[in-house]
Amino acid sequence: MTAPVMAAAQSGVPPAALSDTQLPDPAAEARATALMQTLRCLVCQGQSIADSDADMAGDMRALVRRRIAAGERPEDIRAWLVQRYGDWVTYDPPLNAVTWPLWALPVLLLVVGAFVARGSFRRRGRGA
């Protein structure tokens, strides 16, 4: 990427309050951080909002911290974010008709891998 393109991609908007500032209460900050680690950045897609530098992730961190500071439970904040952005916002999607392939694919790959390994070991055993 060239410098002008990279500069144009940067937002001129200052970061949201509390996006990069910890809460004064260590227990509340611990709850907020634990929740932020489990929420996916909608821009980066491979990072949690705690690890992402995207403006959207900063806004989501600020939102989580504001709601935790207001006394809201992390489960309620997660439920609100899932309702707003869908199951994809969480790293632990629920098992339902849409997400079952996400849960079944690792098991299927293990079964296929076991059959391939078994066949490979049998051929190797007969050839020796």
Side-chain angles (χ1 to χ4, degrees), residues 2-83:
T2 63
V5 173
M6 288 174 56
Q10 298 298 321
S11 172
V13 178
L18 294 177
S19 66
D20 297 316
T21 305
Q22 294 186 350
L23 294 172
D25 178 11
E29 179 61 27
R31 287 191 306 276
T33 301
L35 177 59
M36 289 186 283
Q37 290 290 338
T38 66
L39 297 172
R40 185 186 317 265
C41 174
L42 300 173
V43 176
C44 303
Q45 300 179 0
Q47 290 182 304
S48 70
I49 64 169
D51 299 329
S52 174
D53 290 331
D55 291 340
M56 177 84 172
D59 292 344
M60 291 174 75
R61 285 192 304 271
L63 177 128
V64 166
R65 285 188 173 116
R66 275 196 313 273
R67 288 181 166 219
I68 290 286
E72 198 168 337
R73 296 178 328 147
E75 301 82 31
D76 296 336
I77 299 167
R78 176 194 306 279
W80 183 82
L81 287 167
V82 167
Q83 180 184 9

